[in-house]
Amino acid sequence: MKTRITELLGIQYPIIQGGMAWVADHHLAAAVSEAGGFGILGAANAPAEVVREEIRQVREMTDKPFGVNIMLLSPHAAEVAQMAAEEKVSAVTTGAGSPEKYLKLWQDAGVRVIPVVASVALARRMERCHVDAVVAEGMESGGHIGSQTTMTLVPQVVDAVQIPVIAAGGIADGRGFAAARMLGAEGVQMGTVFAASREAAVHENYKQRILKAKDIDSEVTGMSLGHPIRSLRNRMTREYLRMEKEGATFEELESMTVGTLRKAVVEGDVMDGTVMAGQIAGMIKEEKSCRDIIEGIMRQAEELMGRAV
Ligand code: TUI
């Protein structure tokens, strides 16, 4: 089961867990790493000391490698970047921007760097800065998204760079894994399926909303602000989209969403909270352990690919 990604990260299976805000805590990251994948803590908007404590907790639960995702729009991004270097986590992934100003810090500390990109241009720029790999994330993903689909983005990024590419967006089973490999990816990153896993320490209402979702249940809000966010349809998305259509100001729209991800994930308010999830939510029907998810995917992919995984 070797690819350049399993070699780079020292893991058994080339399956990486997305660094989801409020979802990807030590319970989830440790479970994914223990199962042979690569668990990731989502730093989101948290201060460095909170994330450092999460790192300690993962280290108590597993000896396996794991990483931290740094959300570059966070007001604490710089201090979390510094802390990740001090803690010498195996890898950092980044989202919602370009991590150029932090690369040297991580590279000097021996931390692998894997930026999430939504375009060929950023993938190329990252390769020129000697990052170790990129995650090419399609707009099927939940949360903050780009504008290209996984099917179109992944092969174009694979053609554009020599470093290994990890596919993300719309993948949750062995068919998706095999398809990503056929597109040239050497690993996959998945979020939604792990958000609905047994070890995800999220509110039951959030988990059930994912498990009950249909194929057409997600919406993209914030397109007019240049920060499109995919989440599952509810009173919140309907009201937001109505205001967006009516030409509400940046401030009006922003003020509507403050604290709403926490509201859904932690408090379980799936009506007025932001239920971030990818389009593949419609395919996820039961809560499984991270081990069952990962081993099931590898088994199905091996069958499909004739052990050429
Ligand atoms: O980052 C994500 N997904 C996220 S971050 C997040 S938290 C958040 N909350 C409210 C508003 C905004 C974010 C929820 N979900 N995925 C990785 C990702 N990165 N997708 C797209 C991008 C991206 C977009 C533009 C990366 C770089 C970029 O442009 C950078 C440049 O300078 O070219």
Side-chain angles (χ1 to χ4, degrees):
M1 194 59 51
K2 277 190 187 161
T3 70
R4 285 187 292 170
I5 293 300
T6 56
E7 297 293 290
L8 176 73
L9 298 173
I11 54 178
Q12 195 177 355
Y13 307 118
I15 293 181
I16 288 142
Q17 167 240 314
M20 301 163 280
W22 291 108
V23 175
D25 71 351
H26 62 278
H27 299 100
L28 187 60
V32 170
S33 288
E34 264 301 292
F38 192 73
I40 292 186
L41 291 169
N45 284 318
E49 291 316 306
V50 171
V51 185
R52 197 193 298 273
E53 185 50 35
E54 286 287 306
I55 291 172
R56 299 240 156 96
Q57 304 247 36
V58 178
R59 286 182 172 146
E60 279 183 16
M61 294 172 78
T62 183
D63 295 330
K64 304 263 170 66
F66 66 95
V68 172
N69 173 268
I70 298 178
M71 210 279 280
L72 296 164
L73 295 172
S74 165
H76 304 291
E79 56 173 276
V80 176
Q82 177 66 41
M83 182 279 302
E86 287 163 17
E87 291 290 332
K88 298 193 185 299
V89 293
S90 296
V92 294
T93 62
T94 61
S98 169
E100 257 149 292
K101 63 180 170 189
Y102 305 121
L103 294 178
K104 188 171 182 316
L105 170 71
W106 295 325
Q107 286 159 346
D108 287 351
V111 173
R112 308 287 190 205
V113 183
I114 310 179
V116 177
V117 303
S119 69
V120 165
L122 187 58
R124 280 214 172 97
R125 212 160 94 209
M126 292 297 98
E127 181 175 58
R128 282 199 298 274
C129 299
H130 309 290
V131 304
D132 297 281
V134 289
V135 175
E137 188 186 275
M139 50 90 81
E140 295 92 324
S141 299
H144 181 64
I145 54 173
S147 55
Q148 290 224 74
T149 61
T150 302
M151 181 73 102
T152 58
L153 179 66
V154 171
Q156 293 185 79
V157 171
V158 165
D159 285 349
V161 299
Q162 258 93 60
I163 52 176
V165 176
I166 296 162
I171 303 168
D173 69 1
R175 294 171 298 180
F177 179 101
R181 295 286 284 126
M182 293 296 104
L183 296 175
E186 294 183 57
V188 299
Q189 177 187 276
M190 303 185 297
T192 307
V193 69
F194 287 126
S197 71
R198 195 189 308 155
E199 293 90 343
V202 298
H203 197 285
E204 190 58 24
N205 294 353
Y206 173 72
K207 218 177 259 190
Q208 288 302 323
R209 182 67 187 90
I210 293 175
L211 296 172
K212 295 207 168 83
K214 296 195 300 294
D215 55 347
I216 57 170
D217 274 1
S218 79
E219 297 274 19
V220 179
T221 55
M223 199 82 91
S224 64
L225 303 182
H227 282 299
I229 300 275
R230 183 181 302 285
S231 58
L232 298 180
R233 186 184 301 108
N234 59 8
R235 196 153 66 194
M236 167 75 191
T237 62
R238 270 192 286 271
E239 177 65 5
Y240 189 104
L241 289 170
R242 186 186 63 74
M243 285 181 59
E244 209 174 356
K245 209 163 136 193
E246 288 171 3
T249 63
F250 176 85
E251 287 75 20
E252 285 169 330
L253 292 170
E254 279 296 289
S255 71
M256 260 190 89
T257 62
V258 176
T260 56
L261 178 60
R262 183 183 188 283
K263 205 177 194 179
V265 176
V266 181
E267 295 166 23
D269 184 349
V270 294
M271 282 299 292
D272 295 311
T274 301
V275 186
M276 288 188 193
Q279 288 186 317
I280 205 67
M283 200 181 74
I284 302 163
K285 293 293 173 212
E286 51 174 336
E287 180 182 331
K288 295 183 189 170
S289 69
C290 292
R291 184 173 298 280
D292 285 351
I293 291 169
I294 291 172
E295 289 179 355
I297 288 173
M298 294 315 300
R299 206 176 313 119
Q300 189 183 19
E302 278 173 356
E303 265 167 38
L304 291 169
M305 299 173 73
R307 299 205 68 84
V309 180

